Amino acid sequence: MREKTTYQRVSLEEVFSPRGVAVVGASGSGRMGFPEGVLMGLVEAGCPAVYPVNPKYREIMGLPCYPTLESIPGPVDYVVVSIPATGVMTLLEDCAGKGVKAVQFFTAGFSESGIAQRADLEREMLAKARASGFRIIGPNCVGLFVPKSGLVNISGVSFEPGPVAFISQSGGHANNIVQFSDFRGIRFSKVVSYGNGLDVDEIEMLEYFKDDPETKIIAAYIEGIKDGRRFKEALEAAAAVKPVIIYKGGRTEAGQRAAFGHTASMTSSIAVFEALCRQANVIQVNDIDELIDVLVLLSFADPLPQGTGMAMIGAGGGPSVLAGDVMEKHSLCLPALSNAIQNELKKVLPVDGSIFTNPLDTPNMSTPKAISSAMTIMGKIPEIHTLFYHMGFHPISRWGINRFMADNYGEQLAQALVEAKASSGKPILLALRPPGDLGGMEEFLDVQKAAVDAKIPVFYDLDRLALAVSRVAAWRKNKMAWMKPGT
Amino acid sequence: MREKTTYQRVSLEEVFSPRGVAVVGASGSGRMGFPEGVLMGLVEAGCPAVYPVNPKYREIMGLPCYPTLESIPGPVDYVVVSIPATGVMTLLEDCAGKGVKAVQFFTAGFSESGIAQRADLEREMLAKARASGFRIIGPNCVGLFVPKSGLVNISGVSFEPGPVAFISQSGGHANNIVQFSDFRGIRFSKVVSYGNGLDVDEIEMLEYFKDDPETKIIAAYIEGIKDGRRFKEALEAAAAVKPVIIYKGGRTEAGQRAAFGHTASMTSSIAVFEALCRQANVIQVNDIDELIDVLVLLSFADPLPQGTGMAMIGAGGGPSVLAGDVMEKHSLCLPALSNAIQNELKKVLPVDGSIFTNPLDTPNMSTPKAISSAMTIMGKIPEIHTLFYHMGFHPISRWGINRFMADNYGEQLAQALVEAKASSGKPILLALRPPGDLGGMEEFLDVQKAAVDAKIPVFYDLDRLALAVSRVAAWRKNKMAWMKPGT
């Protein structure tokens, strides 16, 4: 059980907006490890004050380097620690002396090592933090990505703040979600990797993000929970006001064994966890890609899918057959087109080579304008709630869609889809199959970028698109039923 | 029911090795459509004689163009047709006059259009072919890719012949499998897109590929079958001597509706079809990507996985937890490591930052040599049948594995994996997560190419790797049980 706190803790709000950040354990040797990457990110993101700390160097990456925390001239509210576990208690003394507000340990080798003395050391660290009035993030984590404050742990990505909060017990997933969401347009309020969760844990963060005005969507990667009752309360409260998506790692016996070695998590019964999520109307996903897909849909579909009826427009019989199979697999449907609708479609699409069913198979050379008109026509069918266009890119760029593309095809298509959204009042999505090789990659990225810039949700295959729509539609339906009891 | 043939038909062997190929309907206008792509492919692949036919042009793509089939000086055994359906009977007269052996119709708009007269026209075409002694491929298909004969329908890919035959009712899938298999090292004996299957159909091809000495593995995309009893016989006979993999399109009501519009297929009950495949020990897959994954494993795993025990080596707690979950989902297992094995591993891998369980989590900077040694040690465990290394590439190339890579890292790694295969006697695989964006793509492709060149099977994520292993292990187990009744 978590101890009750009786003193005034430093709030997460304070943790997330430091005046100065020190990085202890960075090296000036030119080696590019975790602490050096953090330094680079902090500088790029415009952190107010960045201080490398290492007695061996006078300068690291062009920044003056300090021998100790104490020797830093300005205030230091946040400390990133990447030194061996054996040295951490001495460092925590220094942190207390400097009056810091939070200490983040990249350092691993604590309770998750399975060694009793290391679990004892963790308890000692927590006691020190409580006594000195600062917070601990981790240990065994990559810490924070709070672009608004310039407090980041990664470089080379967009530092534009956004509506998504992500809580992650895995540092790898915390970094990956930022990188792999970047070109899909997802932007974050705060990403927190919390590792072993010694002090700041998933419960406190759910409580915080529920009320955080910057955060509109809450996502989490969780391996284990320490206090089921309080977790349930926090999850229900958060999910009542914002969409919550959870990827639970360690669903199986083998996964659980790995989770213990990873973050010392004793994962609870997956059946209990799933039931808890269902009751709270939490969207459950099975990996980071699925999580990103749901975030794309929640961030950009406007409106959200109002039901399970889908319409697909694309080229090729194979993809049409696959679409039928995939939609049904994910409990979505492809409502049939009436003769009247088919006749309308024949006025805007080439009759030769098109098959006027749903999925609507029309040659690759159909113009974006024609696609937009077809979507507007199909969008009139009340049973169709979501429409999407499907394009496959090919590694041999003189094949497939690639060869029909004008120079500004991406922008033309994005513009056409935005028009279809306006005229149909329904969500318009884009399924883009990547070429898998360098050939065709440039065309693929051009179209993706134009669509993402225009806030059209992009998915990489039919299965992933259908899965995301199915999850969000089910979430929305439950939410509506909940908001209007008796309907 | 298919009519019984009473005359000596042109054999598929003859169809697959023409002395000359005519392409009717190519244009010299510079537009790059299907027939022009075929012409380009035929020239690139070294087809013995290539003749564009079109009365409007004297030359197409640098080749002399002929006004009619009759005016072609040399023998023409194979004709590719891309003219409107209304002109086909006249053309078939010309084919009979020229003494061709096979006619392939790209032309669509026959029975799959749902128009009665067009179904009648198909029957007339078949009667003409029977009377004149030539074969029909299609209509409504992209025809043949037979690299050994230079008889191809696509350009820009490898024309090296190989052991895989692919039969496809969808032209898109037939072209896609060649393109998307290319950089994964899969090579083909023959790929046949047969569309509506008016004459040459899946049954005749199963019979042919069963005995074709060039073909070691048979794969098929099938929407519908016309003669269930004969199909069953042909499938069982083929699967008794070679691995057969089938992707059945139109599994659901929505998929079946699309399949009728695509190739006029009345798909049979999926339950019946699946039972038939199970009885014949056919490997069933759900899309082209899964099909390619199984082909990769069957083509390159050496030996094939002898059971369901897996060992993973890779970096990061998140992927380790995911691996545990994914393996169990696909009925595979990750056998635990004894203390003795763990102690051996500690001699070859960095102790700090590694977690000596299965999955084995070891820092990215572990050298290929160390990974190979670790695989050799883990390979001693009898319950482990397949070992793989997992690497994630990142779009921000100074993150993840990318930044640790020496210039020839791909070759070093491939060499190390080949050594591990030799020393363990077990299949060694590579899971490579692509970066998803241009950043990191070059490093990813370098490693993929080196591994593919060294015949190490490469998969793009843990789920797809596990699914392929699970399918091939189940197939092999059934085959063994079959070969040794009573065991």
XYZ file of all heavy atoms in Angstrom, chain A residues 79-154:
553
model
N 16.498 17.806 -11.772
C 17.801 17.168 -11.978
C 17.608 15.835 -12.691
O 16.797 15.006 -12.266
C 18.519 16.935 -10.622
C 19.884 16.289 -10.848
C 18.669 18.243 -9.868
N 18.349 15.664 -13.790
C 18.354 14.392 -14.514
C 19.603 13.635 -14.074
O 20.717 14.170 -14.158
C 18.412 14.620 -16.042
C 18.477 13.288 -16.789
C 17.212 15.446 -16.503
N 19.438 12.395 -13.616
C 20.556 11.648 -13.048
C 20.860 10.411 -13.886
O 19.988 9.577 -14.113
C 20.227 11.202 -11.605
C 21.404 10.415 -11.023
C 19.885 12.398 -10.739
N 22.119 10.337 -14.305
C 22.558 9.154 -15.038
C 23.919 8.736 -14.492
O 24.930 8.832 -15.188
C 22.631 9.484 -16.530
O 23.070 8.375 -17.262
N 23.937 8.324 -13.229
C 25.173 7.822 -12.602
C 24.847 6.467 -11.987
O 23.672 6.132 -11.814
C 25.693 8.783 -11.509
C 24.640 8.937 -10.391
C 26.066 10.140 -12.102
C 25.154 9.632 -9.149
N 25.852 5.648 -11.668
C 25.552 4.319 -11.118
C 24.728 4.389 -9.830
O 24.820 5.358 -9.060
C 26.941 3.741 -10.843
C 27.856 4.462 -11.769
C 27.281 5.848 -11.879
N 23.935 3.344 -9.605
C 23.020 3.292 -8.456
C 23.750 3.518 -7.138
O 23.196 4.129 -6.212
C 22.296 1.942 -8.444
N 24.984 3.063 -7.048
C 25.736 3.168 -5.786
C 25.972 4.611 -5.345
O 26.182 4.876 -4.166
C 27.097 2.471 -5.943
O 27.674 2.897 -7.184
C 26.934 0.956 -5.947
N 25.952 5.553 -6.276
C 26.261 6.938 -5.908
C 25.046 7.808 -5.646
O 25.180 9.013 -5.392
N 23.862 7.226 -5.683
C 22.673 8.088 -5.699
C 22.380 8.768 -4.362
O 21.881 9.895 -4.339
C 21.409 7.357 -6.210
C 21.599 6.864 -7.633
C 21.002 6.236 -5.287
N 22.693 8.123 -3.214
C 22.347 8.747 -1.934
C 23.149 10.030 -1.709
O 22.609 11.045 -1.245
C 22.527 7.760 -0.771
C 21.455 6.675 -0.707
S 19.728 7.263 -0.820
C 19.602 8.294 0.638
N 24.428 9.993 -2.066
C 25.251 11.198 -1.961
C 24.663 12.310 -2.834
O 24.551 13.466 -2.422
C 26.691 10.886 -2.448
O 27.101 9.659 -1.835
C 27.649 12.002 -2.096
N 24.265 11.927 -4.043
C 23.703 12.919 -4.957
C 22.403 13.507 -4.390
O 22.161 14.717 -4.505
C 23.444 12.304 -6.331
C 22.899 13.326 -7.329
C 24.013 14.250 -7.806
C 22.236 12.671 -8.510
N 21.591 12.659 -3.759
C 20.324 13.173 -3.207
C 20.591 14.188 -2.087
O 19.821 15.142 -1.909
C 19.435 12.022 -2.731
C 18.805 11.179 -3.844
C 17.809 10.178 -3.266
C 18.090 12.070 -4.868
N 21.676 13.985 -1.335
C 22.089 14.992 -0.334
C 22.325 16.334 -1.025
O 21.855 17.381 -0.574
C 23.407 14.567 0.341
C 23.273 13.568 1.479
C 22.469 14.117 2.651
O 22.313 15.351 2.771
O 21.945 13.286 3.419
N 23.062 16.283 -2.138
C 23.356 17.510 -2.893
C 22.067 18.157 -3.403
O 21.924 19.384 -3.411
C 24.266 17.205 -4.098
C 25.646 16.705 -3.665
O 25.943 16.747 -2.453
O 26.404 16.256 -4.550
N 21.154 17.323 -3.859
C 19.872 17.839 -4.374
C 19.130 18.576 -3.258
O 18.564 19.660 -3.470
C 19.005 16.702 -4.900
S 19.633 15.978 -6.430
N 19.117 17.953 -2.075
C 18.450 18.594 -0.939
C 19.120 19.925 -0.642
O 18.444 20.949 -0.433
C 18.506 17.665 0.277
N 20.455 19.935 -0.683
C 21.198 21.164 -0.409
C 20.879 22.264 -1.406
O 20.779 23.447 -1.048
N 20.693 21.877 -2.659
C 20.430 22.871 -3.716
C 18.948 23.283 -3.734
O 18.570 24.215 -4.439
C 20.831 22.266 -5.069
C 20.748 23.198 -6.260
C 21.796 24.314 -6.234
C 21.598 25.290 -7.389
N 22.426 26.504 -7.262
N 18.126 22.569 -2.980
C 16.702 22.929 -2.932
C 15.949 22.580 -4.196
O 15.049 23.315 -4.624
N 16.286 21.466 -4.838
C 15.602 21.115 -6.088
C 14.185 20.633 -5.798
O 13.849 20.265 -4.674
C 16.383 20.036 -6.876
C 17.843 20.425 -7.061
C 16.262 18.678 -6.220
N 13.367 20.631 -6.844
C 11.967 20.204 -6.690
C 11.732 18.773 -7.155
O 10.791 18.118 -6.713
C 11.056 21.152 -7.466
C 11.013 22.532 -6.825
C 10.065 23.458 -7.568
C 10.024 24.830 -6.900
N 9.526 25.856 -7.828
N 12.563 18.309 -8.090
C 12.357 16.949 -8.605
C 13.659 16.366 -9.132
O 14.483 17.086 -9.708
C 11.304 16.950 -9.711
N 13.818 15.078 -8.935
C 15.002 14.366 -9.414
C 14.530 13.191 -10.264
O 13.703 12.391 -9.813
C 15.842 13.825 -8.234
C 17.129 13.184 -8.763
C 16.157 14.934 -7.251
N 15.047 13.105 -11.487
C 14.665 12.005 -12.372
C 15.844 11.063 -12.556
O 16.931 11.496 -12.931
C 14.212 12.544 -13.723
C 13.892 11.418 -14.720
C 14.702 11.505 -15.982
O 14.874 12.582 -16.549
N 15.233 10.376 -16.431
N 15.623 9.792 -12.285
C 16.695 8.801 -12.408
C 16.568 8.007 -13.687
O 15.655 7.182 -13.820
C 16.673 7.835 -11.222
C 17.150 8.465 -9.950
C 16.254 9.000 -9.037
C 18.508 8.526 -9.682
C 16.699 9.589 -7.871
C 18.961 9.114 -8.506
C 18.056 9.645 -7.598
N 17.470 8.251 -14.635
C 17.647 7.334 -15.759
C 18.266 6.040 -15.206
O 17.982 4.939 -15.662
C 18.580 7.974 -16.789
C 18.879 7.093 -17.965
C 17.873 6.747 -18.852
C 20.160 6.619 -18.198
C 18.151 5.940 -19.949
C 20.435 5.811 -19.292
C 19.432 5.471 -20.167
N 19.118 6.211 -14.195
C 19.803 5.097 -13.548
C 18.836 3.951 -13.254
O 17.746 4.158 -12.729
C 20.421 5.589 -12.222
O 21.204 6.742 -12.512
C 21.273 4.514 -11.579
N 19.254 2.728 -13.619
C 18.456 1.539 -13.331
C 19.230 0.652 -12.360
O 20.282 1.040 -11.864
C 18.156 0.797 -14.621
N 18.699 -0.533 -12.101
C 19.369 -1.472 -11.199
C 18.845 -1.336 -9.790
O 19.591 -1.497 -8.815
N 17.560 -1.028 -9.626
C 16.959 -0.920 -8.293
C 16.061 -2.141 -8.045
O 16.489 -3.259 -8.293
C 16.209 0.411 -8.169
C 17.147 1.589 -8.214
C 17.431 2.252 -9.408
C 17.799 2.024 -7.068
C 18.308 3.316 -9.452
C 18.683 3.095 -7.102
C 18.934 3.743 -8.304
N 14.832 -1.901 -7.628
C 13.989 -3.054 -7.272
C 13.803 -4.024 -8.438
O 13.658 -5.229 -8.235
C 12.630 -2.573 -6.746
O 11.991 -1.747 -7.695
N 13.835 -3.507 -9.683
C 13.611 -4.387 -10.824
C 14.746 -5.388 -11.026
O 14.611 -6.346 -11.786
C 13.385 -3.559 -12.105
C 14.631 -3.132 -12.879
C 15.387 -1.978 -12.212
O 14.962 -1.526 -11.124
O 16.401 -1.552 -12.779
N 15.911 -5.186 -10.320
C 17.025 -6.124 -10.455
C 16.759 -7.413 -9.690
O 17.436 -8.410 -9.895
C 18.312 -5.483 -9.924
O 18.195 -5.284 -8.510
N 15.778 -7.365 -8.773
C 15.474 -8.548 -7.967
C 16.428 -8.706 -6.776
O 16.330 -9.661 -6.020
N 17.337 -7.733 -6.592
C 18.309 -7.803 -5.483
C 17.718 -7.044 -4.283
O 17.323 -5.881 -4.411
C 19.655 -7.164 -5.909
C 20.204 -7.886 -7.158
C 20.671 -7.200 -4.769
C 21.372 -7.168 -7.828
N 17.710 -7.700 -3.113
C 17.035 -7.129 -1.942
C 17.639 -5.786 -1.518
O 16.909 -4.818 -1.228
C 17.086 -8.121 -0.777
N 18.981 -5.684 -1.534
C 19.609 -4.434 -1.085
C 19.210 -3.254 -1.980
O 19.121 -2.118 -1.522
C 21.153 -4.517 -1.106
C 21.743 -5.546 -0.174
C 21.987 -6.879 -0.908
O 21.074 -7.419 -1.539
N 23.212 -7.377 -0.827
N 18.988 -3.554 -3.268
C 18.635 -2.476 -4.184
C 17.202 -1.994 -3.942
O 16.890 -0.828 -4.113
C 18.803 -2.931 -5.639
C 20.257 -3.155 -6.040
C 21.080 -1.879 -5.912
N 22.467 -2.074 -6.291
C 22.919 -2.001 -7.547
N 22.107 -1.730 -8.533
N 24.199 -2.181 -7.809
N 16.337 -2.910 -3.531
C 14.977 -2.511 -3.160
C 15.027 -1.672 -1.889
O 14.297 -0.676 -1.747
C 14.097 -3.741 -2.974
N 15.937 -2.032 -0.957
C 16.122 -1.237 0.265
C 16.598 0.173 -0.087
O 16.127 1.170 0.471
C 17.171 -1.884 1.181
C 16.671 -3.204 1.767
O 15.442 -3.438 1.713
O 17.502 -3.981 2.256
N 17.538 0.238 -1.018
C 18.085 1.539 -1.430
C 16.974 2.435 -1.979
O 16.908 3.628 -1.682
C 19.173 1.314 -2.493
C 19.806 2.556 -3.125
C 20.427 3.482 -2.068
C 20.873 2.168 -4.162
N 16.072 1.829 -2.766
C 14.932 2.586 -3.294
C 14.123 3.209 -2.149
O 13.737 4.380 -2.198
C 14.004 1.661 -4.104
C 14.118 1.822 -5.595
C 13.015 1.081 -6.352
O 12.011 0.645 -5.748
O 13.162 0.942 -7.579
N 13.874 2.411 -1.127
C 13.082 2.923 0.011
C 13.798 4.083 0.707
O 13.185 5.069 1.118
C 12.768 1.791 0.997
C 11.550 0.961 0.567
C 11.164 -0.072 1.621
N 12.098 -1.188 1.632
C 11.980 -2.268 0.858
N 10.960 -2.386 0.026
N 12.861 -3.240 0.923
N 15.125 3.944 0.805
C 15.937 4.993 1.426
C 15.859 6.295 0.600
O 15.754 7.393 1.152
C 17.395 4.492 1.473
C 18.232 5.002 2.616
C 19.670 4.449 2.516
O 19.841 3.259 2.166
O 20.613 5.228 2.736
N 15.907 6.124 -0.725
C 15.807 7.294 -1.615
C 14.470 8.004 -1.421
O 14.397 9.230 -1.349
C 15.924 6.850 -3.087
C 17.309 6.412 -3.497
S 17.267 5.290 -4.945
C 16.601 6.359 -6.212
N 13.413 7.208 -1.319
C 12.081 7.793 -1.160
C 11.983 8.538 0.179
O 11.449 9.652 0.245
C 11.001 6.709 -1.251
C 9.554 7.208 -1.166
C 9.245 8.178 -2.302
C 8.567 6.042 -1.210
N 12.540 7.922 1.219
C 12.503 8.562 2.537
C 13.246 9.898 2.489
O 12.786 10.916 3.028
C 13.124 7.635 3.581
N 14.383 9.896 1.804
C 15.169 11.129 1.672
C 14.363 12.210 0.933
O 14.366 13.389 1.333
C 16.463 10.815 0.907
C 17.367 11.985 0.661
C 18.054 12.408 1.939
C 18.662 13.806 1.817
N 19.060 14.341 3.123
N 13.704 11.798 -0.138
C 12.914 12.751 -0.919
C 11.777 13.332 -0.078
O 11.544 14.552 -0.073
C 12.352 12.070 -2.170
N 11.091 12.467 0.642
C 9.999 12.928 1.501
C 10.523 13.921 2.548
O 9.921 14.979 2.766
C 9.368 11.733 2.234
C 8.665 10.751 1.340
C 7.212 11.179 1.117
N 6.443 10.120 0.479
C 6.260 10.011 -0.837
N 6.767 10.910 -1.654
N 5.544 9.027 -1.327
N 11.646 13.545 3.170
C 12.195 14.384 4.245
C 12.648 15.737 3.708
O 12.533 16.768 4.387
C 13.360 13.663 4.921
N 13.173 15.732 2.464
C 13.745 16.973 1.931
C 12.755 17.748 1.074
O 13.072 18.836 0.592
C 14.990 16.657 1.096
O 15.849 15.806 1.810
N 11.597 17.166 0.839
C 10.561 17.901 0.115
C 10.744 17.962 -1.382
O 10.252 18.886 -2.028
N 11.447 17.009 -1.989
C 11.463 16.978 -3.456
C 10.836 15.679 -3.953
O 10.605 14.747 -3.174
C 12.870 17.196 -4.026
C 13.909 16.203 -3.587
C 13.999 14.946 -4.169
C 14.842 16.535 -2.592
C 14.962 14.036 -3.775
C 15.811 15.633 -2.186
C 15.877 14.383 -2.782
N 10.540 15.647 -5.253
C 9.890 14.481 -5.856
C 10.898 13.642 -6.626
O 11.920 14.148 -7.081
C 8.775 14.922 -6.822
C 7.760 15.895 -6.239
C 7.024 15.304 -5.046
N 6.377 14.038 -5.335
C 5.117 13.910 -5.766
N 4.380 14.988 -5.974
N 4.598 12.717 -6.011
N 10.577 12.356 -6.796
C 11.415 11.467 -7.607
C 10.616 10.957 -8.807
O 9.470 10.517 -8.661
C 11.926 10.269 -6.766
C 12.965 10.764 -5.747
C 12.549 9.180 -7.655
C 13.508 9.689 -4.832
N 11.225 11.049 -9.986
C 10.649 10.448 -11.206
C 11.500 9.215 -11.509
O 12.703 9.328 -11.695
C 10.721 11.397 -12.422
C 10.329 12.826 -12.056
C 9.914 10.846 -13.596
C 8.872 13.062 -11.852
N 10.901 8.056 -11.578
C 11.634 6.806 -11.785
C 11.825 6.094 -10.466
O 10.923 6.152 -9.624
N 12.963 5.452 -10.221
C 14.119 5.334 -11.105
C 13.820 4.438 -12.312
O 12.729 3.923 -12.418
C 15.171 4.674 -10.201
C 14.377 3.867 -9.238
C 13.107 4.648 -9.003
N 14.873 4.315 -13.191
C 14.763 3.387 -14.307
C 13.776 3.925 -15.338
O 12.838 3.246 -15.744
C 14.337 2.009 -13.741
C 14.274 0.905 -14.769
O 14.880 1.012 -15.832
N 13.533 -0.141 -14.462
N 13.987 5.187 -15.742
C 13.058 5.799 -16.694
C 13.768 6.888 -17.495
O 14.870 7.280 -17.153
C 11.876 6.418 -15.944
S 12.291 7.965 -15.125
N 13.115 7.366 -18.553
C 13.715 8.438 -19.350
C 13.109 9.804 -19.033
O 13.480 10.805 -19.643
C 13.642 8.164 -20.870
C 14.338 6.856 -21.218
C 12.213 8.163 -21.382
N 12.193 9.861 -18.065
C 11.726 11.155 -17.578
C 10.701 11.859 -18.426
O 9.805 11.230 -18.987
N 10.863 13.165 -18.569
C 9.778 14.014 -19.062
C 10.004 14.614 -20.443
O 11.130 14.957 -20.815
C 9.567 15.182 -18.092
C 9.355 14.836 -16.622
C 9.052 16.105 -15.829
C 8.219 13.849 -16.466
N 8.885 14.752 -21.166
C 8.862 15.502 -22.425
C 7.704 16.488 -22.286
O 6.541 16.137 -22.460
C 8.630 14.536 -23.589
C 8.562 15.197 -24.940
C 9.726 15.543 -25.628
C 7.344 15.483 -25.539
C 9.670 16.146 -26.879
C 7.275 16.098 -26.786
C 8.448 16.424 -27.449
N 8.058 17.729 -21.896
C 7.053 18.780 -21.691
C 7.449 19.951 -22.583
O 8.151 20.873 -22.166
C 7.000 19.221 -20.212
C 5.859 20.207 -19.990
C 6.855 18.028 -19.280
N 7.039 19.892 -23.855
C 7.550 20.875 -24.816
C 7.264 22.321 -24.420
O 8.091 23.200 -24.664
C 6.853 20.481 -26.129
C 5.742 19.542 -25.752
C 6.136 18.903 -24.465
N 6.125 22.558 -23.792
C 5.758 23.925 -23.408
C 6.817 24.557 -22.498
O 7.078 25.755 -22.566
C 4.410 23.881 -22.688
C 3.786 25.211 -22.417
C 2.485 25.005 -21.650
C 2.015 26.300 -21.007
N 0.931 26.030 -20.055
N 7.429 23.733 -21.624
C 8.441 24.233 -20.681
C 9.863 24.073 -21.203
O 10.809 24.412 -20.503
C 8.356 23.451 -19.361
O 7.054 23.410 -18.874
N 10.031 23.487 -22.389
C 11.384 23.186 -22.856
C 12.044 22.089 -22.043
O 13.254 21.901 -22.110
N 11.254 21.356 -21.268
C 11.791 20.261 -20.445
C 11.580 18.960 -21.217
O 10.509 18.348 -21.129
C 11.045 20.214 -19.106
C 11.367 19.030 -18.178
C 12.852 18.979 -17.843
C 10.535 19.116 -16.899
N 12.596 18.567 -21.993
C 12.418 17.409 -22.873
C 13.584 16.437 -22.722
O 14.619 16.782 -22.149
C 12.284 17.843 -24.351
C 11.105 18.796 -24.526
C 13.574 18.477 -24.847
N 13.407 15.243 -23.255
C 14.426 14.202 -23.135
C 14.819 13.630 -24.484
O 15.352 12.539 -24.578
C 13.913 13.091 -22.215
C 12.533 12.587 -22.650
O 12.002 13.049 -23.650
N 11.981 11.652 -21.898
N 14.526 14.365 -25.540
C 14.782 13.857 -26.885
C 14.957 15.067 -27.800
O 14.383 16.128 -27.549
C 13.610 12.943 -27.317
C 13.910 12.223 -28.618
C 12.315 13.711 -27.420
C 12.904 11.118 -28.904
